[in-house]
Amino acid sequence: MSDAVLLTISPRVRDLGDGFVVRRVLPYHAYRMVGPFIFFDHFGPVDYAPGQGFDVRPHPHIGLATVTYLFEGAIRHRDSLGSDLVIRPGAVNWMTAGQGIVHSERTPDEERASGQSMHGLQTWVALPKAHEGDPPSFIHHPSDSLPAFDVRGVHMRVLAGEAWGHTSPVRFPWPILYVAFETDGEADITVNSDLADERAIYLVGGTASFDGHAMGEGEMVVLKAGKSCRLHLAPGTKGVICGGAPIDGARHIDWNFVSSDPEAIRLAREEWTQTIAAGGSTRFPAVPGDDSEWIPLP
């Protein structure tokens, strides 16, 4: 194994129902977070025939920001702030839960009628302690607002943070790194140690290698701090580099809730059950236009 590699994480497959299968990478028992990234799911590619789709009913979050990035397909996002839009490949939906938010994710009407192939990543980043109780917010960043450029034949897009001299418009109150890459032909890039204190490479598709260490589709390699590596990419390989500064203390994760304080999670769980019974609450209001269903507390 390369001396730049701290560990390799193989995903666990989870079937969320209706043929929607995800590969869950984080949290991992031996390494729960990379920078602020505490949750990392790779879903698809999955094909939906005309008339079919997926429906993630309204559910709550606290203490985190959700980040959706698509390679194929479309998802309609609605939340308790009144946000209602469709995310498509190359764009970023950045939803900050803070003290509490409710949202749903469904196949848009047009794609449900025509059918679609869907493929993407859903990640959560833990908010720093000083911001865990911030008011919720939602910002959509269109694909043309995110820096896109080539490095030695590799197509790069900075989703969050700064890399290779380019800075994402996404604002996050903690040092963060999130870069998507893809190559048409064979290519090599150097993942420098100064990109972030903590870094991981995830392969969405294709194969890669560095220093004799081979990577396959669906694997995440966590790099050692202070170690750079030269990454060799096979034609048609795509993936992401993620990480940032180590988060400010341990985080607890329970269902859709993240917090540095276990009591905050206990209260959120209790309130969500009451919210469903009442049809909404001050912290967890109903989602406008999608207020007839709720995902119950597991």
Side-chain angles (χ1 to χ4, degrees):
M1 181 180 290
S2 166
D3 65 359
V5 175
L6 181 64
L7 81 162
T8 299
I9 302 173
S10 296
R12 290 87 67 205
V13 176
R14 298 284 187 271
D15 187 343
L16 303 185
D18 298 325
F20 191 68
V21 175
V22 303
R23 287 177 264 191
R24 184 150 299 162
V25 184
L26 295 175
Y28 181 62
H29 66 89
Y31 201 87
R32 295 182 62 79
M33 299 179 68
V34 181
F37 287 83
I38 193 169
F39 181 91
F40 192 110
D41 263 5
H42 175 194
F43 56 87
V46 57
D47 293 321
Y48 290 102
Q52 296 181 337
F54 76 101
D55 293 283
V56 180
R57 293 167 292 157
H59 58 282
H61 291 286
I62 67 166
L64 56 85
T66 66
V67 189
T68 304
Y69 187 74
L70 295 179
F71 302 103
E72 294 180 84
I75 296 174
R76 184 181 183 184
H77 165 97
R78 285 184 283 190
D79 62 42
S80 50
L81 297 173
S83 311
D84 184 355
L85 57 81
V86 174
I87 183 172
R88 300 187 185 279
V92 164
N93 269 6
W94 198 280
M95 186 185 77
T96 300
Q99 62 189 4
I101 198 168
V102 182
H103 77 131
S104 65
E105 297 165 294
R106 300 182 186 269
T107 298
D109 293 343
E110 181 180 343
E111 281 74 17
R112 195 181 296 268
S114 64
Q116 69 165 339
S117 178
M118 196 172 66
H119 187 198
L121 301 174
Q122 172 110 117
T123 58
W124 299 353
V125 288
L127 294 170
K129 291 178 182 178
H131 295 272
E132 287 183 310
D134 282 359
S137 64
F138 176 84
I139 301 178
H140 175 76
H141 298 272
S143 60
D144 60 6
S145 72
L146 302 170
F149 53 96
D150 285 1
V151 176
R152 301 175 62 86
V154 182
H155 311 307
M156 316 285 282
R157 186 183 298 272
V158 182
L159 310 183
E162 181 180 355
W164 283 275
H166 298 267
T167 303
S168 167
V170 171
R171 293 291 170 258
F172 186 67
W174 194 258
I176 190 171
L177 172 71
Y178 200 19
V179 179
F181 64 83
E182 185 171 0
T183 183
D184 299 322
E186 208 167 351
D188 294 90
I189 57 169
T190 299
V191 182
N192 286 318
S193 60
D194 61 2
L195 281 173
D197 295 333
E198 296 184 351
R199 296 155 296 145
I201 302 165
Y202 179 77
L203 280 196
V204 173
T207 58
S209 64
F210 50 88
D211 303 335
H213 177 88
M215 284 185 70
E217 179 179 328
E219 284 189 335
M220 175 177 280
V221 166
V222 181
L223 301 175
K224 293 178 181 177
K227 291 284 188 179
S228 298
C229 71
R230 192 167 183 82
L231 186 63
H232 178 77
L233 304 173
T237 296
K238 69 174 65 173
V240 295
I241 304 167
C242 65
I247 201 66
D248 56 347
R251 289 299 187 275
H252 305 274
I253 181 169
D254 186 329
W255 191 42
N256 296 317
F257 306 129
V258 170
S259 180
S260 60
D261 181 6
E263 179 65 7
I265 290 178
R266 187 192 70 79
L267 292 172
R269 288 177 59 89
E270 185 177 278
E271 185 171 339
W272 180 242
T273 300
Q274 297 168 354
T275 294
I276 292 177
S281 69
T282 300
R283 177 155 59 150
F284 297 130
V287 175
D290 198 350
D291 56 2
S292 62
E293 295 184 296
W294 311 79
I295 296 181
L297 193 71

